[in-house]
Amino acid sequence: MAPDSVGTLLASAAYVWYGKISTTLKTSRGKGVVTAFILLSDVKDEIDYEFVGVDLENAQSNYYFQGITDYDNGQNISVSDTFQNYHTYEIDWTPDQITWSIDGQVKRTKKKSDTWNSTANRYDYPQTPARIQLSLWPAGLSSNGNGTVEWAGGLVDWSSQDIKNNGYYYASINEVKVQCYDPPSGAKSSGSTSYVYTANAGTNDTVAITSKSTVLKSLLGSGTNMSADYPSAASSSSSGSKTASSSAAASSTEVATVPGLTGAGPGTDGQRGASGSSNSGSGSGSGSGSNSVAPNGASSAATSSATGVGGFSQGNGGSSTSAQGNTASSKSERVLQGSLVALLVAIVSMLAM
């Protein structure tokens, strides 16, 4: 995490709907510097470990339901020097409980039955497909709220010894392991490509496993409008006149095809929109406006050849049979684990250079 940055975030492209996830790491250190190991869903269900750089003898365990802040959800777990020593931090997440373990020893358990919210008539319990994230972030920035800065131990010291020696703050990641569990009992399943939210409640009974595509027509697309296209492509396909094409091309430069960067980006199906182009991406989407996420990859702009997305990883990770028929899960999980570890090892190697 270099000066004048907002930190570093590594996130899996695949989603886990219950499973056992662990990472072996050394944290960073220093005022305002926070290392985190997180499971985060698209509706902001979250399970995490966070490590504040001024407290190297504690790991903070926490969980959130749909991003609702509840300071009673957190609990500190004692551990030896997190900067000097590698420790294995594990989250074992099932439909009934969450277990936080360190170095193979169970340190905390939270049962779903203890999260009942009688006012809202629901369980305030993380229960939707989540991505795995590892991050190093400057909680101690003057632009953050006073409570956040105080929690992080103060403002980041950008002239600390680590900055002088390396030019950045760092954490060391040794490995990440993922074991997916079967979907919860009664889960709606009609395919093996994507998770789809069927209602705005965003609870586990509104998640369905489907075969709907997760490929966006363009970078302007989203889970609720997967077929969104660029003005140039849309206009030129409806009019062959040179004037219409020129006008459309001009308007396309005013669109941030890469968020925050107006007039740039790969365009539709990997090509900048132009007259006569045959933009044949998936774009099927969901007519009901429901959101979809891919168990084996986040929604993204890609070429039309990417529509045959496979490798659904939901399953027990070792059994050759499953109630959901996920016989390929073990191989997919190894691929996910291998790709994550390769990326993390590469980054750690770079930091060590």
Side-chain angles (χ1 to χ4, degrees), residues 28-34 52-56 152 155-157 162 169:
S28 192
R29 62 180 175 181
K31 295 188 300 181
V33 179
V34 177
V52 177
V54 293
D55 182 9
L56 302 180
L155 295 174
V156 177
D157 180 4
D162 283 343
Y169 286 103

Side-chain angles (χ1 to χ4, degrees), residues 15-240:
Y15 289 75
V16 177
W17 198 12
Y18 303 114
K20 183 183 293 185
I21 303 93
S22 67
T23 181
T24 301
L25 58 79
K26 291 181 182 180
T27 71
S28 192
R29 62 180 175 181
K31 295 188 300 181
V33 179
V34 177
T35 310
F37 165 38
I38 302 171
L39 302 182
L40 183 66
S41 84
D42 287 0
V43 297
K44 297 186 178 180
D45 283 348
E46 180 177 339
I47 308 168
D48 68 39
Y49 285 96
E50 287 190 293
F51 307 88
V52 177
V54 293
D55 182 9
L56 302 180
E57 304 297 324
N58 282 291
Q60 298 185 12
S61 64
N62 214 333
Y63 72 94
Y64 300 92
F65 170 75
Q66 296 189 358
I68 300 171
T69 301
D70 185 338
Y71 294 109
D72 292 331
N73 291 351
Q75 182 176 311
N76 281 359
I77 301 173
S78 296
V79 62
S80 64
D81 194 320
T82 62
F83 177 77
Q84 294 292 342
N85 304 319
Y86 276 109
H87 293 286
T88 298
Y89 304 93
E90 179 184 279
I91 296 171
D92 192 349
W93 176 37
T94 74
D96 300 314
Q97 69 178 29
I98 305 165
T99 302
W100 291 260
S101 299
I102 299 179
D103 296 330
Q105 301 295 314
V106 174
K107 299 296 184 180
R108 181 189 180 190
T109 299
K110 186 67 180 182
K111 294 185 178 297
K112 179 181 179 180
S113 58
D114 295 332
T115 67
W116 178 250
N117 183 331
S118 57
T119 302
N121 196 36
R122 70 185 182 214
Y123 289 101
D124 288 351
Y125 179 83
Q127 56 196 267
T128 51
R131 295 168 70 189
I132 304 162
Q133 298 186 354
L134 292 161
S135 68
L136 185 59
W137 63 288
L141 291 181
S142 58
S143 56
N144 289 336
N146 291 334
T148 299
V149 174
E150 183 179 351
W151 165 74
L155 295 174
V156 177
D157 180 4
W158 295 112
S159 60
S160 70
Q161 198 61 46
D162 283 343
I163 292 293
K164 290 177 180 178
N165 291 344
N166 305 294
Y168 48 77
Y169 286 103
Y170 64 93
S172 303
I173 314 298
N174 186 47
E175 68 176 358
V176 176
K177 292 183 178 180
V178 182
Q179 178 186 350
C180 294
Y181 294 155
D182 285 330
S185 176
K188 306 166 189 173
S189 180
S190 60
S192 60
T193 300
S194 59
Y195 294 118
V196 171
Y197 289 92
T198 60
N200 290 334
T203 48
N204 66 342
D205 58 339
T206 67
V207 177
I209 305 170
T210 78
S211 290
K212 291 184 177 180
S213 172
T214 60
V215 179
L216 303 181
K217 179 72 172 179
S218 74
L219 286 172
L220 299 183
S222 68
T224 57
N225 185 9
M226 297 178 68
S227 59
D229 206 349
Y230 297 114
S232 59
S235 300
S236 60
S237 63
S238 62
S239 173

